[in-house]
Amino acid sequence: MPTERITFPGHAGSQLAARLDLPDGPVLATALFAHCFTCSKDIPAARRIAARLAAMGIAVMRFDFTGLGHSEGEFANTTFTSNVQDLVAAAQYLNTRGLAPELLIGHSLGGAAVLRARADIPTIKGVVTLGAPFDPGHVSHHFDDALPEIQSKGAAEVCLGGRPFRIGKAFVDDISDVALGPAIADLKAALLVLHAPRDETVNIDNASQIFLAAKHPKSFVTLDDADHLITRQQDAEYAADVIAAWATRYIQLKPPAPPIGTPEGIVRVTEADPGGFLQDIQSGPDHHAVADEPVSYGGTNRGMSPYGFVSSGLGACTSMTIRMYARRKGWPLVGVSVDVSHNKVHAQDADSAARGKIDQFTRKIRLEGRLTEEQKQKLLEIADKCPVHRTLEASSQVETLLEDTLLTA
């Protein structure tokens, strides 16, 4: 996944640092991601969601708000309103690139910000919140002890997440005055609310208030026992998959023309867990799966094995071929199922001219319906004409090319 490091002017002219995660192929749509309070664009949840959407052809820009991460400016001088203005500035920058955003995604306070910013970004068709507060003023509980000093001196230094931040009075006053209800009611975009019932930072009641304030179309999906920052990889991947599937209902994703010579498109396999064997599989813009190995082989057993996918291809093709023939003949075939097993066997046991061991796939085909014995035997013969069967039995050629190595900092 190509990533551009870019800067653009924020609400006050300070240069804001951003990453633009792009699909390997054509950009079919664009999303804008807003991170949580005092976080940065590089939190794991943002990275994983951006990667998943980019695999579907959706470009994602995530950036550091003024005074955070690698962005310029003083955090002490920012407010919730200025964060909203930074989001609008980010959308304007994307417009200049011909990448007008159609999807807004916000995490925690960033979720509240995208709800407010929607009105000023007319191209948005869908808004997603993750662990977002209905009342932005809730963040003040992180620095309750410092509130008297902030009110009396205009600012105070507080420790949040083990890091020092200077919070200004303008920020405290601004979040106290924000009322999101009217903005949510007038969202004029589809809404997806993602929240964990056990979120100890932003209570689940916030999700209920956001959902009830919104008009349809709206959806709510629980993140189960995920923590507020969605730090576990499996939780972030689940959230990403839900967002990706939901977004396709509201954003028109026109698939690109397939490359010459590959009429069914490209299957891209990307390593998802360098410490194990989990692989992310994307077939064109529409179909996603994961591959893995069993725990006994060092994997995490979160997907089929590579040979499981090969067996699946053989079983699926066999069933389709039988159905196509029976449909053409008008035979009373009610249903088909195919069990496929794979083993390594000695060549002589399989009556093969090869030496050593070879792959043996065993199919058990079940045909439902009032078929004659002659029809059943004919369908069994047709099963051997399945294109995948022929490919496996023939000598295939695999060409391997090395692309330019991507260097990452």
Side-chain angles (χ1 to χ4, degrees):
M1 178 186 68
T3 299
E4 287 187 27
R5 296 185 181 185
I6 56 179
T7 59
F8 66 93
H11 75 282
S14 299
Q15 290 297 307
L16 305 187
R19 289 183 184 270
L20 181 60
D21 299 308
L22 293 162
D24 286 299
V27 175
L28 307 182
T30 305
L32 185 55
F33 190 103
H35 61 71
C36 53
F37 180 55
T38 72
C39 296
S40 79
K41 64 184 181 302
D42 298 316
I43 59 172
R47 291 201 313 269
R48 289 167 181 148
I49 290 171
R52 179 71 186 91
L53 292 178
M56 290 185 59
I58 302 175
V60 182
M61 189 165 91
R62 44 195 171 98
F63 69 97
D64 294 328
F65 286 113
T66 299
L68 291 172
H70 296 94
S71 290
E72 297 178 350
E74 293 294 330
F75 179 73
N77 296 331
T78 64
T79 63
F80 176 78
T81 299
S82 74
N83 285 349
V84 173
Q85 292 169 343
D86 280 346
L87 270 168
V88 175
Q92 291 170 345
Y93 167 79
L94 288 170
N95 282 336
T96 66
R97 295 277 304 266
L99 297 170
E102 296 181 84
L103 183 65
L104 280 175
I105 306 170
H107 180 207
S108 192
L109 192 62
V114 299
L115 290 169
R116 172 58 70 85
R118 159 65 188 99
D120 296 317
I121 310 176
T123 56
I124 295 300
K125 296 178 180 178
V127 178
V128 181
T129 65
L130 300 104
F134 179 75
D135 175 16
H138 97 287
V139 300
S140 63
H141 79 268
H142 291 296
F143 44 85
D144 280 340
D145 294 343
L147 287 176
E149 182 180 352
I150 293 172
Q151 293 296 339
S152 62
K153 297 183 178 180
E157 188 171 284
V158 300
C159 184
L160 300 172
R163 294 178 297 159
F165 290 92
R166 191 163 182 80
I167 304 293
K169 182 176 182 297
F171 179 87
V172 174
D173 292 342
D174 189 43
I175 58 174
S176 299
D177 293 338
V178 172
L180 285 181
I184 298 171
D186 196 36
L187 200 61
K188 293 184 173 65
L191 174 66
L192 171 62
V193 179
L194 294 163
H195 212 111
R198 299 180 184 178
D199 191 329
E200 296 180 354
T201 303
V202 179
N203 189 278
I204 187 67
D205 291 342
N206 287 270
S208 300
Q209 290 175 288
I210 292 172
F211 186 80
L212 291 173
K215 295 182 173 66
H216 286 290
K218 57 182 178 179
S219 307
F220 175 81
V221 176
T222 179
L223 293 179
D224 297 319
D225 60 348
D227 60 24
H228 180 67
L229 293 180
I230 318 178
T231 52
R232 291 188 308 195
Q233 180 175 327
Q234 60 266 38
D235 293 329
E237 289 174 355
Y238 173 72
D241 282 342
V242 170
I243 293 170
W246 175 85
T248 59
R249 193 168 185 86
Y250 303 103
I251 299 175
Q252 296 299 317
L253 299 177
K254 289 186 178 180
I260 296 173
T262 54
E264 292 184 21
I266 296 294
V267 174
R268 174 165 287 114
V269 180
T270 306
E271 185 178 57
D273 179 13
F277 296 113
L278 187 67
Q279 307 294 316
D280 185 275
I281 302 172
Q282 187 72 33
S283 178
D286 299 321
H287 304 292
H288 175 254
V290 292
D292 204 345
E293 289 285 3
V295 175
S296 58
Y297 285 89
T300 52
N301 200 33
R302 293 171 61 192
M304 287 195 298
S305 70
Y307 273 112
F309 277 98
V310 175
S311 298
S312 297
L314 175 60
C317 186
T318 300
S319 179
M320 292 175 185
T321 303
I322 290 173
R323 169 55 66 189
M324 182 172 60
Y325 187 85
R327 183 181 294 146
R328 188 166 66 242
K329 290 290 187 178
W331 289 354
L333 178 65
V334 176
V336 186
S337 65
V338 184
D339 290 349
V340 182
S341 59
H342 166 258
N343 288 290
K344 293 281 189 180
V345 300
H346 288 286
Q348 59 267 29
D349 295 337
D351 193 22
S352 170
R355 295 182 178 180
K357 288 190 173 183
I358 63 169
D359 293 283
Q360 177 176 292
F361 293 89
T362 301
R363 292 178 299 183
K364 291 184 179 179
I365 301 172
R366 285 183 294 276
L367 304 174
E368 298 178 23
R370 295 183 178 276
L371 299 164
T372 66
E373 286 302 316
E374 184 180 353
Q375 289 172 333
K376 290 179 182 178
Q377 287 304 313
K378 185 59 179 179
L379 290 176
L380 196 60
E381 291 176 21
I382 291 299
D384 287 341
K385 299 184 184 299
C386 151
V388 173
H389 181 172
R390 288 181 168 181
T391 297
L392 290 172
E393 284 195 322
S395 56
S396 300
Q397 178 180 340
V398 178
E399 181 182 12
T400 303
L401 304 173
L402 180 64
E403 290 194 13
D404 292 337
T405 302
L406 296 177
L407 300 177
T408 56

